[in-house]
Coordinates of all heavy atoms in Angstrom, one line a residue:
G1 N 98.7 70.7 112.5 CA 99.7 71.1 113.6 C 101.1 71.5 113.1 O 101.9 71.9 113.8
S2 N 101.4 71.1 111.8 CA 102.7 71.4 111.2 C 103.0 72.8 111.2 O 102.0 73.6 110.8 CB 102.9 70.7 110.0 OG 101.9 71.1 109.1
L3 N 104.3 73.3 111.3 CA 104.6 74.6 111.3 C 105.5 75.0 110.2 O 106.5 74.2 109.9 CB 105.4 74.8 112.7 CG 105.6 76.3 113.2 CD1 104.2 76.8 113.7 CD2 106.5 76.3 114.4
Y4 N 105.3 76.1 109.6 CA 106.1 76.7 108.5 C 106.5 78.1 108.6 O 105.6 78.9 109.1 CB 105.3 76.4 107.1 CG 105.1 75.0 106.6 CD1 104.1 74.1 107.2 CD2 106.1 74.3 105.9 CE1 103.9 72.9 106.8 CE2 105.9 73.0 105.5 CZ 104.8 72.3 105.9 OH 104.7 70.9 105.6
D5 N 107.6 78.6 108.1 CA 107.9 79.8 107.9 C 107.3 80.4 106.6 O 107.3 79.6 105.7 CB 109.4 80.2 108.0 CG 109.9 79.9 109.4 OD1 109.3 80.2 110.3 OD2 111.1 79.4 109.4
A6 N 106.7 81.5 106.6 CA 106.0 82.0 105.3 C 106.7 83.3 104.8 O 107.3 84.1 105.6 CB 104.6 82.2 105.5
Q7 N 106.7 83.5 103.6 CA 107.3 84.8 102.9 C 106.1 85.4 102.3 O 105.2 84.8 101.7 CB 108.3 84.4 101.9 CG 109.5 83.6 102.5 CD 110.2 84.3 103.5 OE1 110.6 85.5 103.4 NE2 110.7 83.6 104.5
I8 N 106.2 86.7 102.2 CA 105.2 87.6 101.7 C 105.4 87.5 100.1 O 106.4 87.8 99.6 CB 105.2 89.0 102.1 CG1 104.9 89.0 103.5 CG2 104.3 89.9 101.3 CD1 105.0 90.5 104.1
V9 N 104.2 87.1 99.4 CA 104.3 87.1 98.0 C 104.0 88.6 97.4 O 104.5 89.1 96.5 CB 103.3 86.1 97.4 CG1 103.2 86.2 95.8 CG2 103.8 84.7 97.9
G10 N 102.8 89.2 98.0 CA 102.4 90.4 97.5 C 101.4 91.0 98.6 O 100.5 90.1 99.2
T11 N 101.2 92.3 98.6 CA 100.2 92.9 99.4 C 99.6 94.1 98.7 O 100.2 94.7 97.8 CB 100.9 93.4 100.8 OG1 101.9 94.5 100.4 CG2 101.6 92.3 101.6
D12 N 98.3 94.3 99.1 CA 97.6 95.5 98.6 C 96.8 96.3 99.7 O 95.8 95.9 100.1 CB 96.6 95.0 97.5 CG 95.9 96.2 96.9 OD1 96.5 97.2 96.6 OD2 94.7 96.1 96.5
P13 N 97.4 97.2 100.2 CA 96.8 98.0 101.3 C 95.4 98.6 101.0 O 94.6 98.8 101.8 CB 97.8 99.2 101.5 CG 99.1 98.7 101.2 CD 98.8 97.8 99.9
L14 N 95.3 99.0 99.5 CA 94.1 99.5 99.2 C 92.8 98.7 99.4 O 91.7 99.2 99.8 CB 94.1 100.0 97.7 CG 92.9 100.8 97.2 CD1 93.1 102.1 97.8 CD2 93.1 101.0 95.7
T15 N 93.0 97.4 99.3 CA 91.9 96.4 99.5 C 92.1 95.5 100.7 O 91.3 94.7 101.0 CB 91.8 95.5 98.2 OG1 93.0 94.8 98.0 CG2 91.4 96.2 97.0
D16 N 93.3 95.7 101.5 CA 93.5 95.0 102.7 C 93.7 93.5 102.4 O 93.2 92.6 103.1 CB 92.5 95.2 103.8 CG 92.9 94.8 105.1 OD1 94.2 94.7 105.3 OD2 92.1 94.3 106.0
L17 N 94.3 93.1 101.2 CA 94.6 91.8 101.0 C 96.1 91.5 100.9 O 96.9 92.5 100.5 CB 93.8 91.4 99.6 CG 92.4 91.4 99.6 CD1 91.8 91.5 98.2 CD2 91.9 90.3 100.4
A18 N 96.4 90.3 101.1 CA 97.8 89.8 101.0 C 97.8 88.4 100.7 O 96.9 87.6 101.0 CB 98.6 90.1 102.3
V19 N 98.8 88.0 100.1 CA 99.2 86.6 99.8 C 100.6 86.2 100.3 O 101.6 86.9 100.1 CB 99.1 86.1 98.3 CG1 99.5 84.7 98.0 CG2 97.8 86.5 97.8
V20 N 100.6 85.1 101.1 CA 102.0 84.6 101.6 C 102.2 83.1 101.1 O 101.2 82.5 100.6 CB 102.1 84.6 103.1 CG1 101.9 86.0 103.6 CG2 101.0 83.7 103.8
K21 N 103.4 82.7 101.1 CA 103.6 81.3 100.6 C 104.6 80.5 101.6 O 105.4 81.2 102.2 CB 104.3 81.4 99.3 CG 104.5 80.0 98.6 CD 105.1 80.1 97.3 CE 104.9 78.8 96.5 NZ 105.5 77.7 97.2
I22 N 104.2 79.3 101.7 CA 105.1 78.2 102.4 C 105.6 77.2 101.5 O 105.0 77.0 100.5 CB 104.3 77.8 103.6 CG1 103.1 76.9 103.0 CG2 103.8 78.8 104.7 CD1 102.3 76.1 104.2
E23 N 106.7 76.6 101.9 CA 107.3 75.6 101.0 C 106.7 74.3 101.4 O 107.1 73.6 102.3 CB 108.8 75.5 101.2 CG 109.6 76.8 100.6 CD 109.2 77.1 99.3 OE1 109.1 76.1 98.5 OE2 109.0 78.3 98.9
A24 N 105.5 74.0 100.8 CA 104.7 72.8 101.0 C 104.1 72.3 99.7 O 103.7 73.2 98.9 CB 103.9 72.9 102.1
E25 N 103.8 71.0 99.7 CA 103.2 70.5 98.5 C 101.9 69.7 98.9 O 101.7 69.3 100.1 CB 104.1 69.6 97.6 CG 105.2 70.4 97.1 CD 104.9 71.4 96.0 OE1 103.7 71.3 95.3 OE2 105.6 72.3 95.8
N26 N 101.0 69.5 98.0 CA 99.8 68.6 98.1 C 98.9 69.1 99.3 O 98.4 68.3 100.1 CB 100.3 67.1 98.3 CG 101.1 66.6 97.1 OD1 100.7 66.9 96.0 ND2 102.1 65.9 97.5
L27 N 98.9 70.4 99.4 CA 98.0 70.9 100.5 C 96.4 71.0 100.0 O 96.3 70.8 98.8 CB 98.4 72.3 100.8 CG 99.8 72.5 101.4 CD1 100.1 73.9 101.6 CD2 100.0 71.7 102.6
Q28 N 95.5 70.9 101.0 CA 94.2 70.9 100.5 C 93.8 72.4 100.4 O 93.6 73.1 101.3 CB 93.3 70.3 101.6 CG 91.7 70.2 101.2 CD 91.0 69.4 102.2 OE1 91.3 68.4 102.6 NE2 89.7 70.0 102.3
A29 N 93.5 72.9 99.1 CA 93.1 74.2 98.8 C 91.6 74.4 98.9 O 90.9 73.4 98.6 CB 93.5 74.5 97.3
A30 N 91.2 75.4 99.4 CA 89.7 75.8 99.6 C 89.2 76.1 98.3 O 89.9 76.6 97.4 CB 89.5 76.9 100.5
R31 N 87.9 75.7 98.0 CA 87.2 76.2 96.9 C 86.7 77.5 97.0 O 86.2 77.9 98.0 CB 86.0 75.0 96.6 CG 86.6 73.7 96.2 CD 85.5 72.7 96.0 NE 84.6 72.4 97.1 CZ 83.3 72.6 97.2 NH1 82.7 73.2 96.2 NH2 82.6 72.5 98.3
V32 N 86.7 78.3 95.9 CA 86.2 79.6 95.9 C 84.8 79.7 95.3 O 84.6 79.2 94.2 CB 87.2 80.5 95.2 CG1 86.6 82.1 95.1 CG2 88.5 80.6 95.8
G33 N 83.9 80.4 95.9 CA 82.5 80.5 95.5 C 82.2 81.8 94.9 O 83.1 82.8 94.9
D34 N 81.0 82.0 94.4 CA 80.5 83.3 93.9 C 79.8 84.0 94.9 O 78.6 83.8 95.2 CB 79.6 82.9 92.7 CG 79.1 84.3 92.0 OD1 79.6 85.3 92.3 OD2 78.2 84.1 91.1
S35 N 80.5 85.2 95.4 CA 79.8 86.0 96.4 C 78.7 86.7 96.0 O 77.8 87.1 96.8 CB 80.9 86.9 97.0 OG 81.4 87.7 96.1
S36 N 78.7 87.0 94.7 CA 77.5 87.7 94.2 C 76.2 86.9 94.2 O 75.1 87.6 94.1 CB 77.7 88.2 92.7 OG 77.9 87.0 91.8
A37 N 76.2 85.6 94.4 CA 75.0 84.9 94.5 C 74.5 84.8 96.0 O 73.3 84.2 96.1 CB 75.4 83.4 94.0
M38 N 75.2 85.4 96.9 CA 74.7 85.3 98.2 C 73.6 86.3 98.5 O 73.6 87.4 97.8 CB 76.0 85.6 99.2 CG 77.1 84.7 99.1 SD 76.5 83.0 99.3 CE 76.1 83.0 101.1
R39 N 72.6 85.9 99.2 CA 71.4 86.8 99.4 C 71.3 87.0 100.9 O 71.8 86.3 101.8 CB 70.1 86.1 99.0 CG 70.1 85.6 97.6 CD 68.8 84.8 97.3 NE 68.9 83.6 98.1 CZ 67.8 82.8 98.2 NH1 66.7 83.2 97.7 NH2 67.9 81.6 98.9
I40 N 70.7 88.1 101.3 CA 70.4 88.4 102.7 C 69.5 87.4 103.3 O 68.6 86.9 102.7 CB 69.6 89.7 102.9 CG1 70.5 90.9 102.4 CG2 69.3 90.0 104.3 CD1 69.9 92.3 102.4
G41 N 70.1 86.7 104.4 CA 69.5 85.6 105.0 C 70.1 84.3 104.8 O 69.9 83.3 105.4
D42 N 71.1 84.3 103.8 CA 71.8 82.9 103.5 C 72.7 82.6 104.7 O 73.3 83.4 105.2 CB 72.6 83.1 102.2 CG 71.8 82.9 100.9 OD1 70.7 82.3 101.0 OD2 72.3 83.3 99.9
W43 N 72.8 81.4 105.0 CA 73.7 80.9 106.1 C 75.1 80.9 105.6 O 75.5 80.7 104.4 CB 73.4 79.3 106.4 CG 72.2 79.1 107.1 CD1 70.9 78.9 106.5 CD2 71.9 79.1 108.5 NE1 70.0 78.6 107.4 CE2 70.5 78.9 108.6 CE3 72.7 79.4 109.6 CZ2 70.0 78.8 110.0 CZ3 72.1 79.4 110.8 CH2 70.8 79.0 110.9
V44 N 76.0 81.5 106.5 CA 77.4 81.4 106.4 C 78.2 80.9 107.6 O 77.7 81.0 108.7 CB 77.9 82.9 106.0 CG1 77.5 83.3 104.5 CG2 77.4 84.0 107.0
V45 N 79.4 80.5 107.4 CA 80.2 80.1 108.6 C 81.5 80.7 108.4 O 82.2 81.0 107.2 CB 80.5 78.5 108.5 CG1 81.2 78.0 109.7 CG2 79.1 77.7 108.4
A46 N 82.1 81.4 109.6 CA 83.3 82.0 109.6 C 84.2 81.0 110.4 O 84.0 80.6 111.5 CB 83.2 83.4 110.5
I47 N 85.4 80.8 109.8 CA 86.4 79.8 110.4 C 87.7 80.6 110.5 O 88.1 81.3 109.5 CB 86.5 78.6 109.4 CG1 85.1 78.1 109.1 CG2 87.4 77.7 110.1 CD1 85.2 76.8 108.2
G48 N 88.3 80.5 111.6 CA 89.6 81.1 111.8 C 90.2 81.0 113.2 O 89.7 80.3 113.9

């Protein structure tokens, strides 16, 4: 529930990706997996 103002670090319209940053420490970072290992029929969860 904590609220932060964020600043844009960088954007890339070609791939529709962006990174922003907040002034905070010791946050829980998500682990990144290998998308190339995903097969048709594999379970996935969308969170947002």
Side-chain angles (χ1 to χ4, degrees):
S2 55
L3 199 69
Y4 291 86
D5 291 328
Q7 301 297 321
I8 294 177
V9 174
T11 62
D12 183 36
L14 191 66
T15 58
D16 192 31
L17 292 169
V19 174
V20 300
K21 191 178 187 304
I22 60 175
E23 294 303 320
E25 299 291 339
N26 301 317
L27 301 176
Q28 180 173 321
R31 292 181 295 124
V32 178
D34 181 9
S35 60
S36 64
M38 301 302 292
R39 303 171 301 166
I40 295 175
D42 278 343
W43 288 94
V44 288
V45 183
I47 307 177

